[in-house]
């Protein structure tokens, strides 16, 4: 269910996109397919017009109503593509700027050469301060939590992203060294993680399962192995997972 089989793509009756497992995914897919149908229809139309032009007798005089064949179709195309672009921007912004849920689950995502780390704020619901100079993956502190900040003592850091199905999530993307690309095809999410910036990405996962988190920026020699798992659990299983992490975090 989670990962669609890609081998018989050419013969498959269904659209060969990865399974949709987020609330905003279907509207993005619909817009993509609408764009492809419009492009295919315009391609066919252009060839029909070209064929008519080739087969019809050549005119000896220039047509009087040039604007009908030039400016009218041009205006139509400008409006069509502007409309499609605006709709695409609205869909893009829905996971960045609009529709943020104040009650969303907060998780920090940190990309580094060549791994993803995920941090949950713990029972105090506040992330502790971090300092890249304190980052020490070998000592269990890959994101550099400052021990001097009491908010950080209950923070939970994991190498897999575990989220409950049906709840809004607000990811804050960071990068420690170079630009990494956070991408989960089944969630229809793709966003660069940039050093020195915190970029928010919000969405609601819907379908429990295990999905691959990829890095889509060529970030160094180990780029190919920069992957992590996203596990979407039913809410009760998520609560149990979080509780097990919290007891594990207490010294
Ligand atoms: Cu990377």
């Amino acid at each position: 269910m989670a990962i669609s089989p890609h081998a018989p793509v050419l013969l498959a009756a269904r659209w060969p996109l990865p399974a949709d497992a987020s609330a905003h995914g279907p509207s993005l897919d619909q817009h993509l397919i609408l764009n492809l149908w419009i492009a295919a229809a315009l391609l066919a139309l252009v060839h029909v017009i070209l064929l008519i032009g080739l087969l019809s007798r050549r005119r000896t005089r220039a047509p009087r109503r040039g604007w009908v064949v030039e400016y009218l179709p041009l205006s139509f195309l400008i409006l069509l593509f502007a409309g499609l672009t605006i709709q695409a921007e609205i869909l893009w912004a829905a996971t960045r700027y609009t529709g943020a849920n104040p009650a969303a689950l907060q998780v920090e995502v940190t990309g580094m050469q060549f791994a993803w780390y995920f941090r949950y704020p713990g029972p105090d619901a506040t992330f502790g301060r971090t300092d890249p100079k304190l980052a020490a993956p070998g000592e269990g502190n890959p994101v550099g939590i400052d021990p001097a900040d009491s908010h950080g003592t209950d923070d939970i850091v994991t190498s897999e992203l575990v989220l409950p199905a049906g709840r809004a999530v607000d990811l804050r993307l960071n990068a420690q060294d170079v630009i990494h690309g956070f991408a989960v095809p089944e969630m229809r999410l793709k966003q660069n993680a940039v050093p020195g910036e915190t970029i928010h990405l919000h969405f609601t996962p819907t379908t429990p399962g295990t999905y691959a988190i990829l890095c889509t920026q060529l970030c160094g020699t180990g780029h190919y192995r920069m992957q992590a798992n996203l596990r979407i659990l039913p809410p009760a299983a998520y609560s149990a997972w979080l509780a097990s992490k919290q007891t594990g975090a207490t010294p």
Side-chain angles (χ1 to χ4, degrees), residues 36-231:
L36 291 176
W37 276 116
I38 288 173
L42 288 176
L43 180 78
L45 181 68
V46 163
H47 282 83
V48 168
I49 293 171
L50 184 68
L51 210 63
I52 292 170
L54 284 172
L55 297 178
S56 66
R57 220 154 48 89
R58 190 196 292 203
R59 283 176 185 273
T60 48
R61 274 191 306 152
R64 234 174 289 159
R65 287 193 192 151
W67 64 273
V68 177
V69 288
E70 285 182 28
Y71 297 111
L72 216 58
L74 192 64
S75 314
F76 167 73
L77 288 175
I78 288 170
L79 288 175
L80 176 70
F81 286 114
L84 289 174
T85 306
I86 290 166
Q87 177 62 12
E89 289 292 314
I90 290 169
L91 290 170
W92 179 86
T95 51
R96 268 85 174 177
Y97 301 110
T98 57
N101 186 338
L105 176 68
Q106 304 288 320
V107 185
E108 182 196 73
V109 178
T110 304
M112 65 188 73
Q113 289 170 320
F114 297 97
W116 293 107
Y117 286 99
F118 310 97
R119 182 159 68 121
Y120 299 75
D124 69 352
T126 308
F127 288 105
R129 198 171 42 240
T130 56
D131 184 342
K133 285 194 230 63
L134 298 170
E139 288 152 44
N141 189 9
V143 298
I145 297 171
D146 186 348
D149 182 8
S150 62
H151 288 304
T153 50
D154 64 346
D155 287 5
I156 299 159
V157 179
T158 60
S159 56
E160 66 170 350
L161 178 57
V162 180
L163 300 172
R167 180 167 171 197
V169 179
D170 180 24
L171 298 180
R172 36 185 90 194
L173 266 59
N174 295 323
Q176 229 168 53
D177 33 41
V178 299
I179 297 174
H180 296 281
F182 178 85
V184 190
E186 288 84 357
M187 298 292 143
R188 303 295 188 269
L189 291 177
K190 194 186 221 182
Q191 171 62 51
N192 280 355
V194 183
E197 262 186 67
T198 299
I199 299 170
H200 286 260
L201 201 55
H202 52 257
F203 69 109
T204 303
T206 53
T207 317
T210 303
Y211 310 98
I213 298 170
L214 311 167
C215 177
T216 51
Q217 289 293 354
L218 191 53
C219 57
T221 50
H223 160 71
Y224 69 95
R225 63 179 152 86
M226 186 165 168
Q227 283 194 17
N229 273 346
L230 164 62
R231 264 202 301 144

